[in-house]
Amino acid sequence: MQARRASRELAFILLSQFDGKVPDCSKENLDDLIIKSIRVLISSSNEELKTSLGGLIDMKNRIEDFEAEHETNLKRPMGAENIAVPMIMSSEMKSKINTMIDVAEKAIAGLEIAEFTTLDSQQQVKDYAVKIIKTYKENSTKIDKIIKEHVQGWDFDRLVKMDKDILRIALSELLYIKETPMKVIVDEAVELAKKYSTDDSASFVNGILAKVIVDNGLK
């Protein structure tokens, strides 16, 4: 995982802890919030891994039941061990596997971010996350105004907070920091939306950022 991708996700977790405006934060306060954010990521990853494990156990039990109830094993003597039987992968089983893969990938990503942030050699992860937060704080009025102007037909105050925070991070980078290729910023904002927000959030975030890019002549 790239350091800046980890920084964006860390910045997102940091922003999620603020109910309204970003407060004035000293370096010590930000460091404390970063530690809390890492704990949130680790806790979330642990829960996701437990969910994935539960799904695997359920699948194992279903396969064992299918095997035991197959006509081949029903004809075997009582007490004899079941033998393997041919099994067709059902759509339900494939769906469960895809869900577990998705959950496991999210958990692994969360743990990678935690590792990135705690390693001394990856100080740039924390530094860039803090840079995003400070940039948004310094330009929050302008950034939120831009979001309001581009969410036609939507009440800004009723937007999903996660979507607003993802847009705030992306616009902080696109309009002010300007250290990362535009496509990378947009793509990773969309990935954050897929991971943390609603089913419609990825296309919503992508659409808003596309409008801002065009209207501001960004290249």
Side-chain angles (χ1 to χ4, degrees), residues 75-218:
K75 294 176 181 178
R76 291 172 62 78
M78 292 290 291
E81 289 189 9
N82 290 328
I83 61 174
V85 297
M87 183 176 181
I88 299 174
M89 184 67 75
S90 69
S91 59
E92 180 185 2
M93 197 70 77
K94 287 190 289 185
S95 176
K96 284 182 174 291
I97 290 173
N98 288 334
T99 297
M100 287 184 289
I101 290 172
D102 183 54
V103 168
E105 286 177 345
K106 289 179 180 179
I108 291 169
L111 293 173
E112 284 181 346
I113 292 169
E115 181 182 11
F116 257 112
T117 310
T118 54
L119 290 173
D120 290 340
S121 61
Q122 298 297 336
Q123 180 65 37
Q124 64 264 36
V125 173
K126 289 191 284 186
D127 290 345
Y128 195 70
V130 170
K131 186 172 187 175
I132 291 172
I133 296 297
K134 287 185 173 180
T135 299
Y136 170 66
K137 175 177 171 51
E138 292 167 1
N139 302 280
S140 59
T141 301
K142 294 177 182 178
I143 290 173
D144 283 358
K145 182 181 178 184
I146 290 172
I147 297 173
K148 290 177 184 177
E149 290 172 348
H150 289 82
V151 290
Q152 296 175 357
W154 293 82
D155 182 346
F156 177 82
D157 293 328
R158 298 184 66 181
L159 289 178
V160 176
K161 184 177 186 301
M162 291 178 287
D163 292 352
K164 287 192 285 190
D165 287 343
I166 291 167
L167 288 169
R168 286 162 172 162
I169 290 168
L171 293 181
S172 294
E173 290 194 89
L174 284 170
L175 300 174
Y176 297 99
I177 298 177
K178 299 180 179 180
E179 295 179 7
T180 305
M182 180 177 62
K183 186 178 185 304
V184 173
I185 294 171
V186 174
D187 287 349
E188 294 193 1
V190 169
E191 288 304 311
L192 277 177
K194 288 180 180 177
K195 180 173 181 179
Y196 286 104
S197 200
T198 68
D199 293 339
D200 299 325
S201 292
S203 58
F204 173 75
V205 166
N206 187 61
I208 297 301
L209 292 178
K211 290 178 185 176
V212 173
I213 288 169
V214 171
D215 289 351
N216 286 270
L218 300 177

Side-chain angles (χ1 to χ4, degrees), residues 11-27:
F12 173 77
I13 300 297
L14 281 167
L15 270 183
S16 71
Q17 297 183 53
F18 305 129
D19 293 330
K21 293 183 178 180
V22 179
D24 291 324
C25 292
S26 64
K27 182 180 183 303

Side-chain angles (χ1 to χ4, degrees), residues 1-76:
M1 174 178 286
Q2 296 178 353
R4 291 217 166 157
R5 183 183 303 172
S7 296
R8 292 181 185 98
E9 191 154 353
L10 181 57
F12 173 77
I13 300 297
L14 281 167
L15 270 183
S16 71
Q17 297 183 53
F18 305 129
D19 293 330
K21 293 183 178 180
V22 179
D24 291 324
C25 292
S26 64
K27 182 180 183 303
E28 291 73 20
N29 288 338
L30 282 172
D31 285 344
D32 182 56
L33 285 171
I34 287 172
I35 291 172
K36 290 180 180 177
S37 298
I38 293 305
R39 288 173 179 162
V40 168
L41 282 170
I42 292 173
S43 176
S44 175
S45 295
N46 284 334
E47 290 302 314
E48 286 166 345
L49 287 172
K50 288 177 184 177
T51 298
S52 183
L53 177 60
L56 287 170
I57 292 172
D58 178 63
M59 184 180 295
K60 179 175 181 290
N61 290 336
R62 285 171 179 253
I63 291 173
E64 289 178 346
D65 289 343
F66 177 86
E67 183 181 77
E69 294 170 5
H70 192 276
E71 60 180 358
T72 300
N73 287 309
L74 288 175
K75 294 176 181 178
R76 291 172 62 78

